[in-house]
């Protein structure tokens, strides 16, 4: 039996980046920086293409409402997630406040794979808040 290539098995959705990175309701700090490597044929190469940045939301004033069962939906405060930036020279100390300029957004999609729900967010660069 023939097997479909993986790109046909993922269900992609668009991430609401305007809402996720809204400066009026949310603030973010850098928790960790790691080199982001290029992958070829499913294997990591030695070619660094940017940085993987772990962000933590330090302020989230948005009200997400309740579920159908009546439970309050928690906000993002103190939650961490990873994004990728294409600026390989980006270096800041942990705890540095940053903001995301949506003009520098390359892609923001969600998809499902063997590990469950995944999100891929890529920016050209981040802006440091002083």
């Amino acid at each position: 039996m023939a097997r479909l290539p993986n790109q046909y098995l993922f269900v992609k959705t668009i991430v609401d980046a305007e809402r996720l990175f809204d400066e009026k309701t949310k603030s973010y700090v850098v928790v960790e920086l790691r080199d982001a490597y290029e992958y070829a044929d499913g294997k990591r190469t030695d070619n660094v293409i940017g940085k993987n940045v772990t962000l933590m939301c330090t302020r989230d004033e948005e009200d997400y409402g309740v579920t159908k069962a009546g439970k309050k939906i928690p906000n993002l405060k103190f939650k961490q997630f990873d994004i990728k930036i294409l600026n390989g020279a980006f270096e800041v100390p942990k705890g540095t406040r940053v903001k995301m300029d949506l003009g520098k957004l390359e892609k923001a999609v969600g998809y499902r794979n063997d590990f469950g729900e995944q999100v891929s967010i890529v920016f050209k660069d981040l802006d440091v808040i002083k």
Side-chain angles (χ1 to χ4, degrees):
M1 182 168 147
R3 188 173 136 81
L4 285 173
N6 281 345
Q7 64 263 30
Y8 297 103
L9 302 179
F10 296 143
V11 177
K12 289 192 175 186
T13 57
I14 303 299
V15 174
D16 188 352
E18 287 183 16
R19 187 173 170 195
L20 180 62
F21 299 116
D22 184 2
E23 289 181 53
K24 295 179 188 105
T25 60
K26 295 173 190 66
S27 298
Y28 293 96
V29 297
V30 173
V31 176
E32 185 179 8
L33 285 171
R34 300 170 312 284
D35 286 337
Y37 293 93
E38 184 176 36
Y39 283 79
D41 299 324
K43 295 181 182 173
R44 186 173 102 172
T45 66
D46 292 334
N47 187 20
V48 176
I49 59 170
K51 295 281 186 182
N52 287 320
V53 182
T54 302
L55 297 175
M56 181 173 71
C57 183
T58 57
R59 177 180 63 93
D60 186 357
E61 299 170 356
E62 187 171 348
D63 183 9
Y64 296 94
V66 295
T67 64
K68 290 179 183 175
K71 294 179 86 175
K72 181 153 177 49
I73 299 172
N75 64 20
L76 292 176
K77 191 169 184 179
F78 303 122
K79 300 279 192 288
Q80 296 181 13
F81 61 94
D82 289 339
I83 66 169
K84 184 181 291 180
I85 60 172
L86 301 178
N87 176 6
F90 184 81
E91 286 292 334
V92 294
K94 291 180 184 178
T96 301
R97 291 182 59 214
V98 292
K99 72 177 186 174
M100 284 51 78
D101 178 356
L102 294 179
K104 297 177 183 177
L105 181 66
E106 291 286 309
K107 76 173 182 176
V109 295
Y111 58 91
R112 175 179 286 282
N113 67 10
D114 293 342
F115 300 111
E117 296 287 332
Q118 302 292 316
V119 176
S120 177
I121 300 173
V122 180
F123 280 90
K124 292 176 189 167
D125 203 358
L126 297 180
D127 295 332
V128 175
I129 298 175
K130 297 186 182 198

